Amino acid sequence: MHQLEGRIAVVSGAASGIGRALATRFATEGMRVVLADIEAGALDEAAGEASERGAEVLAVPTDVASRRSVDALAAATIDRFGVPHVVCNNAGVSGTFGPLWETTDNDWDWVLGVNLKGVVHGIQAFVPAMIEAGHEGHVVNTSSVLGLSTGAGSIYAVTKHAVTRLTEGLWHDLRSAGSSISASVLCPGLIATRIVTAGRNRPDHLRNELNEAEVSEIDQRMRAAEQFFLESGMPPAEVAAMVVEAIGEDRFYILTHPEMILDQVRTRMEAILEGAPPPPEDPGDTLLSRALRERG
Ligand code: NAI
């Protein structure tokens, strides 16, 4: 899809980080932009930034974990601008860290709900109308380098692997249906965003019961890790530029840090082919544990 000007984009997780940069970039490209996010205050600020680029914007407070909420987003989009051409299912949360046997059902429900079902809901709510409209279009789902690699137990990584495979499936389904909609999976490495403190938007009913000391310890570590991401990560605007380029070239895998992940992909596949155990290194976990060790 070469022409973005005058067309319609929807971005979830648009109040912060990569989603905000995508919305701003689409606005700069002359698109009409729908911004969706669960954090209403930050969403209004992001919508203000996009409209400063001269774009027509619509901000829709949305919980991507809820099918009903994403259906309402689709209805509001179509009502205001029409059927979108670009849909970025980007909202995501980092979840909790530690061995899998220490995870709770609340941890799983929260992270699966946003990271995996959020993408499923975006596909269900928008793609049928996009196919029916018969125009060109592109769906970009945000996974991660952790959606390609192996490593320590992580609900986050489980959901990101699922998003990678889900998007591969979507790509095949769209082609089998003879549709002019395409799809890409965005696999960022280390980006300067607020992903590590995603707990700020965790619904109360999915919080774990922790005492004050535990909450304060986790808060402190996450803030320190966030500082590391903000200082060391790639600026989100660079990620947005890569996404626009990939849509233009119809490129499926969008890797922001190929040097961080390609050896991992190769080593993991070699282990599968050779019947070896999973290779030990996980770039994301290594970065995050380093951040926690250095700062915590
Ligand atoms: P961020 O925390 O800056 O932005 C994520 C946005 O998603 C926030 O505005 C948050 O309010 C929103 N969100 C959270 N729960 C939501 C829900 N239920 N409904 C709607 N919106 C919700 O983080 P970032 O990094 O910009 O995250 C964007 C995507 O990039 C995520 O899918 C994340 O997993 C992915 N990613 C980020 C990396 C990084 O290094 N920052 C690396 C790899 C992937």
Side-chain angles (χ1 to χ4, degrees):
M1 192 177 146
H2 294 291
Q3 191 201 323
L4 295 182
E5 194 177 350
R7 295 188 156 174
I8 302 154
V10 180
V11 181
S12 74
S16 175
I18 297 171
R20 184 165 176 162
L22 283 170
T24 308
R25 178 61 194 250
F26 289 142
T28 310
E29 296 287 332
M31 299 185 85
R32 285 169 284 169
V33 186
V34 181
L35 299 92
D37 203 286
I38 201 167
E39 198 173 332
L43 178 63
D44 285 342
E45 280 175 35
E49 188 185 2
S51 71
E52 277 167 22
R53 302 294 196 278
E56 275 185 79
V57 304
L58 175 67
V60 185
T62 306
D63 177 2
V64 297
S66 152
R67 175 70 202 267
R68 196 187 302 176
S69 182
V70 181
D71 282 347
L73 167 67
T77 300
I78 292 168
D79 190 44
R80 173 73 183 271
F81 294 135
V83 176
H85 302 81
V86 173
V87 172
C88 298
N89 295 306
N90 166 77
V93 292
S94 49
T96 49
F97 302 92
L100 287 171
W101 52 87
E102 289 178 8
T103 58
T104 65
D105 284 350
N106 280 349
D107 294 334
W108 283 95
D109 288 347
W110 176 45
V111 183
L112 278 172
V114 181
N115 292 8
L116 178 55
K117 291 195 81 180
V119 178
V120 173
H121 293 153
I123 293 168
Q124 291 170 327
F126 286 103
V127 171
M130 291 167 79
I131 292 175
E132 202 184 318
H135 54 46
E136 279 190 301
H138 210 103
V139 178
V140 180
N141 295 332
T142 304
S143 175
S144 165
V145 286
L146 298 187
L148 301 169
S149 66
T150 187
S154 150
I155 303 175
Y156 180 81
V158 169
T159 63
K160 293 301 184 179
H161 267 266
V163 170
T164 303
R165 178 60 180 85
L166 177 78
T167 314
E168 290 169 349
L170 176 67
W171 188 92
H172 285 291
D173 291 348
L174 288 166
R175 263 155 195 72
S176 302
S179 155
S180 45
I181 316 296
S182 196
S184 298
V185 64
L186 170 62
C187 300
L190 181 73
I191 315 299
T193 74
R194 302 194 58 209
I195 187 70
V196 182
T197 54
R200 66 191 185 276
N201 292 316
R202 185 169 177 158
D204 285 342
H205 72 281
L206 294 180
R207 286 187 188 275
N208 293 329
E209 282 195 16
L210 299 170
N211 63 39
E212 247 177 65
E214 288 167 327
V215 171
S216 134
E217 201 236 315
I218 292 170
D219 264 14
Q220 209 180 337
R221 280 177 169 267
M222 291 302 135
R223 268 183 231 285
E226 179 172 272
Q227 203 52 37
F228 174 78
F229 270 62
L230 292 173
E231 283 166 12
S232 320
M234 174 184 280
E238 286 183 30
V239 183
M242 289 177 188
V243 170
V244 165
E245 190 181 282
I247 293 173
E249 293 172 357
D250 193 14
R251 186 152 35 81
F252 183 79
Y253 296 102
I254 312 173
L255 308 180
T256 64
H257 293 70
E259 74 291 352
M260 181 192 274
I261 189 60
L262 289 181
D263 281 348
Q264 255 282 320
V265 171
R266 202 168 289 117
T267 319
R268 177 168 181 260
M269 288 304 157
E270 278 165 8
I272 293 169
L273 291 168
E274 289 163 13
E281 275 297 289
D282 178 315
D285 273 355
T286 308
L287 284 167
L288 192 63
S289 46
R290 195 170 77 212
L292 294 172
R293 200 173 52 242
E294 283 173 3
R295 305 278 176 157

